[in-house]
Amino acid sequence: MFIQTESTPNPATLKFLPGQSVLEIGTADFPTADTAQTSPLATRLFAVDGVTGVFFGTDFVTVTKADAVEWDHVKPALLGAIMEHYQSGESVMAEDHKATSGHADHTGEDGEIVGQIKELLDSRVRPAVAQDGGDITFHGFDRGVVYLHMQGACAGCPSSTLTLKMGIENLLRHYIPEVTEVRPVA
């Protein structure tokens, strides 16, 4: 098994490409070790000293490390953990895991606008962000302000504010005049 690694715009996050499917559909975010119980692979990765976050896409795994830890020290252990997991035959997620779009549900009179926002995010934004090892999902819409949740390499990335303001906000405002601003949520 050959696992490729790629750097991401976030220096604290590396993208691992195991060469096979990670998730059939959607994404899974594990911002802490406590949230990893639903995934044998995430649990294995958090066992490596210095890991502070794990994120899965359809064909990649991104791992975020603590600032005090150097990639040269943890990367071999992470590659080993991913390889061991795939060789064990265990599933990536527990049996009771339900795949979702990642977007928050929205009810109310802005339903049509929210549908357009989600469609633009899914068709234009999320594929590009996945290339960098992350994901951006819809969290809410209120009085022209779109709230987005950043995951994986995007969470804590130094260029995430620029991506939100100059990229996503301009895109959404261009196609959906009701959108006036884009803000991140924690």
PDB file of all heavy atoms in Angstrom, residues 130-149:
ATOM      1  N   ALA A 130     -11.972  20.735  -0.847  1.00  0.00           N
ATOM      2  CA  ALA A 130     -11.553  19.345  -0.619  1.00  0.00           C
ATOM      3  C   ALA A 130     -10.150  19.103  -1.179  1.00  0.00           C
ATOM      4  O   ALA A 130      -9.388  18.299  -0.631  1.00  0.00           O
ATOM      5  CB  ALA A 130     -12.546  18.370  -1.242  1.00  0.00           C
ATOM      6  N   GLN A 131      -9.793  19.809  -2.247  1.00  0.00           N
ATOM      7  CA  GLN A 131      -8.443  19.686  -2.804  1.00  0.00           C
ATOM      8  C   GLN A 131      -7.390  20.092  -1.765  1.00  0.00           C
ATOM      9  O   GLN A 131      -6.274  19.594  -1.790  1.00  0.00           O
ATOM     10  CB  GLN A 131      -8.296  20.561  -4.059  1.00  0.00           C
ATOM     11  CG  GLN A 131      -9.104  20.100  -5.233  1.00  0.00           C
ATOM     12  CD  GLN A 131      -8.647  18.756  -5.760  1.00  0.00           C
ATOM     13  OE1 GLN A 131      -7.448  18.499  -5.887  1.00  0.00           O
ATOM     14  NE2 GLN A 131      -9.585  17.883  -6.051  1.00  0.00           N
ATOM     15  N   ASP A 132      -7.770  20.997  -0.876  1.00  0.00           N
ATOM     16  CA  ASP A 132      -6.861  21.449   0.179  1.00  0.00           C
ATOM     17  C   ASP A 132      -7.027  20.661   1.477  1.00  0.00           C
ATOM     18  O   ASP A 132      -6.463  21.018   2.501  1.00  0.00           O
ATOM     19  CB  ASP A 132      -7.077  22.937   0.464  1.00  0.00           C
ATOM     20  CG  ASP A 132      -6.549  23.823  -0.655  1.00  0.00           C
ATOM     21  OD1 ASP A 132      -5.660  23.365  -1.397  1.00  0.00           O
ATOM     22  OD2 ASP A 132      -7.013  24.969  -0.777  1.00  0.00           O
ATOM     23  N   GLY A 133      -7.863  19.606   1.460  1.00  0.00           N
ATOM     24  CA  GLY A 133      -8.002  18.749   2.634  1.00  0.00           C
ATOM     25  C   GLY A 133      -9.014  19.218   3.656  1.00  0.00           C
ATOM     26  O   GLY A 133      -8.905  18.883   4.830  1.00  0.00           O
ATOM     27  N   GLY A 134     -10.003  19.980   3.230  1.00  0.00           N
ATOM     28  CA  GLY A 134     -10.997  20.480   4.173  1.00  0.00           C
ATOM     29  C   GLY A 134     -12.399  20.453   3.612  1.00  0.00           C
ATOM     30  O   GLY A 134     -12.666  19.870   2.565  1.00  0.00           O
ATOM     31  N   ASP A 135     -13.290  21.109   4.316  1.00  0.00           N
ATOM     32  CA  ASP A 135     -14.678  21.207   3.895  1.00  0.00           C
ATOM     33  C   ASP A 135     -15.282  22.464   4.506  1.00  0.00           C
ATOM     34  O   ASP A 135     -14.850  22.926   5.562  1.00  0.00           O
ATOM     35  CB  ASP A 135     -15.473  19.979   4.345  1.00  0.00           C
ATOM     36  CG  ASP A 135     -16.803  19.827   3.611  1.00  0.00           C
ATOM     37  OD1 ASP A 135     -17.021  20.518   2.589  1.00  0.00           O
ATOM     38  OD2 ASP A 135     -17.627  19.015   4.058  1.00  0.00           O
ATOM     39  N   ILE A 136     -16.268  23.010   3.816  1.00  0.00           N
ATOM     40  CA  ILE A 136     -17.012  24.165   4.305  1.00  0.00           C
ATOM     41  C   ILE A 136     -18.479  23.827   4.139  1.00  0.00           C
ATOM     42  O   ILE A 136     -18.918  23.488   3.041  1.00  0.00           O
ATOM     43  CB  ILE A 136     -16.642  25.447   3.537  1.00  0.00           C
ATOM     44  CG1 ILE A 136     -15.179  25.804   3.782  1.00  0.00           C
ATOM     45  CG2 ILE A 136     -17.559  26.590   3.939  1.00  0.00           C
ATOM     46  CD1 ILE A 136     -14.687  27.020   3.054  1.00  0.00           C
ATOM     47  N   THR A 137     -19.225  23.896   5.239  1.00  0.00           N
ATOM     48  CA  THR A 137     -20.641  23.544   5.192  1.00  0.00           C
ATOM     49  C   THR A 137     -21.504  24.711   5.658  1.00  0.00           C
ATOM     50  O   THR A 137     -21.073  25.555   6.445  1.00  0.00           O
ATOM     51  CB  THR A 137     -20.946  22.312   6.071  1.00  0.00           C
ATOM     52  OG1 THR A 137     -20.524  22.571   7.405  1.00  0.00           O
ATOM     53  CG2 THR A 137     -20.242  21.075   5.540  1.00  0.00           C
ATOM     54  N   PHE A 138     -22.729  24.703   5.170  1.00  0.00           N
ATOM     55  CA  PHE A 138     -23.706  25.726   5.536  1.00  0.00           C
ATOM     56  C   PHE A 138     -24.127  25.537   6.982  1.00  0.00           C
ATOM     57  O   PHE A 138     -24.424  24.429   7.409  1.00  0.00           O
ATOM     58  CB  PHE A 138     -24.934  25.596   4.617  1.00  0.00           C
ATOM     59  CG  PHE A 138     -26.069  26.501   4.985  1.00  0.00           C
ATOM     60  CD1 PHE A 138     -26.073  27.821   4.573  1.00  0.00           C
ATOM     61  CD2 PHE A 138     -27.126  26.032   5.747  1.00  0.00           C
ATOM     62  CE1 PHE A 138     -27.118  28.667   4.915  1.00  0.00           C
ATOM     63  CE2 PHE A 138     -28.184  26.861   6.092  1.00  0.00           C
ATOM     64  CZ  PHE A 138     -28.171  28.181   5.676  1.00  0.00           C
ATOM     65  N   HIS A 139     -24.149  26.642   7.729  1.00  0.00           N
ATOM     66  CA  HIS A 139     -24.566  26.591   9.130  1.00  0.00           C
ATOM     67  C   HIS A 139     -25.848  27.386   9.362  1.00  0.00           C
ATOM     68  O   HIS A 139     -26.672  27.016  10.194  1.00  0.00           O
ATOM     69  CB  HIS A 139     -23.448  27.103  10.034  1.00  0.00           C
ATOM     70  CG  HIS A 139     -23.727  26.937  11.483  1.00  0.00           C
ATOM     71  ND1 HIS A 139     -23.611  25.729  12.117  1.00  0.00           N
ATOM     72  CD2 HIS A 139     -24.138  27.815  12.424  1.00  0.00           C
ATOM     73  CE1 HIS A 139     -23.935  25.881  13.401  1.00  0.00           C
ATOM     74  NE2 HIS A 139     -24.261  27.132  13.608  1.00  0.00           N
ATOM     75  N   GLY A 140     -26.006  28.498   8.636  1.00  0.00           N
ATOM     76  CA  GLY A 140     -27.205  29.303   8.814  1.00  0.00           C
ATOM     77  C   GLY A 140     -27.245  30.497   7.887  1.00  0.00           C
ATOM     78  O   GLY A 140     -26.245  30.861   7.255  1.00  0.00           O
ATOM     79  N   PHE A 141     -28.418  31.111   7.796  1.00  0.00           N
ATOM     80  CA  PHE A 141     -28.617  32.316   6.991  1.00  0.00           C
ATOM     81  C   PHE A 141     -29.580  33.218   7.746  1.00  0.00           C
ATOM     82  O   PHE A 141     -30.665  32.789   8.124  1.00  0.00           O
ATOM     83  CB  PHE A 141     -29.202  31.954   5.614  1.00  0.00           C
ATOM     84  CG  PHE A 141     -29.462  33.141   4.735  1.00  0.00           C
ATOM     85  CD1 PHE A 141     -28.420  33.841   4.152  1.00  0.00           C
ATOM     86  CD2 PHE A 141     -30.764  33.558   4.478  1.00  0.00           C
ATOM     87  CE1 PHE A 141     -28.657  34.940   3.331  1.00  0.00           C
ATOM     88  CE2 PHE A 141     -31.025  34.654   3.662  1.00  0.00           C
ATOM     89  CZ  PHE A 141     -29.961  35.345   3.084  1.00  0.00           C
ATOM     90  N   ASP A 142     -29.148  34.452   7.991  1.00  0.00           N
ATOM     91  CA  ASP A 142     -29.982  35.378   8.740  1.00  0.00           C
ATOM     92  C   ASP A 142     -29.737  36.803   8.246  1.00  0.00           C
ATOM     93  O   ASP A 142     -28.609  37.299   8.329  1.00  0.00           O
ATOM     94  CB  ASP A 142     -29.659  35.272  10.237  1.00  0.00           C
ATOM     95  CG  ASP A 142     -30.560  36.151  11.095  1.00  0.00           C
ATOM     96  OD1 ASP A 142     -31.754  36.282  10.760  1.00  0.00           O
ATOM     97  OD2 ASP A 142     -30.056  36.704  12.083  1.00  0.00           O
ATOM     98  N   ARG A 143     -30.767  37.443   7.717  1.00  0.00           N
ATOM     99  CA  ARG A 143     -30.717  38.842   7.267  1.00  0.00           C
ATOM    100  C   ARG A 143     -29.536  39.128   6.343  1.00  0.00           C
ATOM    101  O   ARG A 143     -28.785  40.085   6.543  1.00  0.00           O
ATOM    102  CB  ARG A 143     -30.683  39.788   8.456  1.00  0.00           C
ATOM    103  CG  ARG A 143     -31.941  39.725   9.274  1.00  0.00           C
ATOM    104  CD  ARG A 143     -31.928  40.762  10.375  1.00  0.00           C
ATOM    105  NE  ARG A 143     -32.696  40.232  11.481  1.00  0.00           N
ATOM    106  CZ  ARG A 143     -32.355  40.339  12.743  1.00  0.00           C
ATOM    107  NH1 ARG A 143     -31.286  40.985  13.095  1.00  0.00           N
ATOM    108  NH2 ARG A 143     -33.108  39.808  13.671  1.00  0.00           N
ATOM    109  N   GLY A 144     -29.350  38.276   5.358  1.00  0.00           N
ATOM    110  CA  GLY A 144     -28.297  38.485   4.371  1.00  0.00           C
ATOM    111  C   GLY A 144     -26.947  37.911   4.738  1.00  0.00           C
ATOM    112  O   GLY A 144     -26.040  37.892   3.916  1.00  0.00           O
ATOM    113  N   VAL A 145     -26.777  37.451   5.969  1.00  0.00           N
ATOM    114  CA  VAL A 145     -25.490  36.916   6.418  1.00  0.00           C
ATOM    115  C   VAL A 145     -25.523  35.389   6.356  1.00  0.00           C
ATOM    116  O   VAL A 145     -26.414  34.750   6.921  1.00  0.00           O
ATOM    117  CB  VAL A 145     -25.153  37.372   7.854  1.00  0.00           C
ATOM    118  CG1 VAL A 145     -23.823  36.786   8.305  1.00  0.00           C
ATOM    119  CG2 VAL A 145     -25.137  38.891   7.938  1.00  0.00           C
ATOM    120  N   VAL A 146     -24.550  34.826   5.641  1.00  0.00           N
ATOM    121  CA  VAL A 146     -24.405  33.371   5.544  1.00  0.00           C
ATOM    122  C   VAL A 146     -23.353  32.944   6.560  1.00  0.00           C
ATOM    123  O   VAL A 146     -22.253  33.499   6.598  1.00  0.00           O
ATOM    124  CB  VAL A 146     -23.957  32.943   4.127  1.00  0.00           C
ATOM    125  CG1 VAL A 146     -23.744  31.441   4.057  1.00  0.00           C
ATOM    126  CG2 VAL A 146     -24.974  33.396   3.088  1.00  0.00           C
ATOM    127  N   TYR A 147     -23.701  31.965   7.382  1.00  0.00           N
ATOM    128  CA  TYR A 147     -22.777  31.430   8.380  1.00  0.00           C
ATOM    129  C   TYR A 147     -22.287  30.075   7.898  1.00  0.00           C
ATOM    130  O   TYR A 147     -23.097  29.188   7.601  1.00  0.00           O
ATOM    131  CB  TYR A 147     -23.461  31.304   9.742  1.00  0.00           C
ATOM    132  CG  TYR A 147     -23.872  32.649  10.300  1.00  0.00           C
ATOM    133  CD1 TYR A 147     -25.142  33.162  10.055  1.00  0.00           C
ATOM    134  CD2 TYR A 147     -22.973  33.408  11.049  1.00  0.00           C
ATOM    135  CE1 TYR A 147     -25.513  34.405  10.552  1.00  0.00           C
ATOM    136  CE2 TYR A 147     -23.341  34.650  11.539  1.00  0.00           C
ATOM    137  CZ  TYR A 147     -24.611  35.137  11.294  1.00  0.00           C
ATOM    138  OH  TYR A 147     -24.972  36.376  11.781  1.00  0.00           O
ATOM    139  N   LEU A 148     -20.968  29.919   7.821  1.00  0.00           N
ATOM    140  CA  LEU A 148     -20.371  28.688   7.317  1.00  0.00           C
ATOM    141  C   LEU A 148     -19.469  28.065   8.368  1.00  0.00           C
ATOM    142  O   LEU A 148     -18.811  28.762   9.139  1.00  0.00           O
ATOM    143  CB  LEU A 148     -19.552  28.971   6.048  1.00  0.00           C
ATOM    144  CG  LEU A 148     -20.322  29.564   4.864  1.00  0.00           C
ATOM    145  CD1 LEU A 148     -19.377  29.881   3.721  1.00  0.00           C
ATOM    146  CD2 LEU A 148     -21.423  28.626   4.416  1.00  0.00           C
ATOM    147  N   HIS A 149     -19.440  26.737   8.366  1.00  0.00           N
ATOM    148  CA  HIS A 149     -18.608  25.978   9.301  1.00  0.00           C
ATOM    149  C   HIS A 149     -17.421  25.412   8.528  1.00  0.00           C
ATOM    150  O   HIS A 149     -17.588  24.722   7.527  1.00  0.00           O
ATOM    151  CB  HIS A 149     -19.436  24.845   9.918  1.00  0.00           C
ATOM    152  CG  HIS A 149     -18.703  24.048  10.939  1.00  0.00           C
ATOM    153  ND1 HIS A 149     -18.211  24.584  12.107  1.00  0.00           N
ATOM    154  CD2 HIS A 149     -18.357  22.744  10.950  1.00  0.00           C
ATOM    155  CE1 HIS A 149     -17.610  23.644  12.801  1.00  0.00           C
ATOM    156  NE2 HIS A 149     -17.680  22.525  12.125  1.00  0.00           N
TER     157      HIS A 149
END
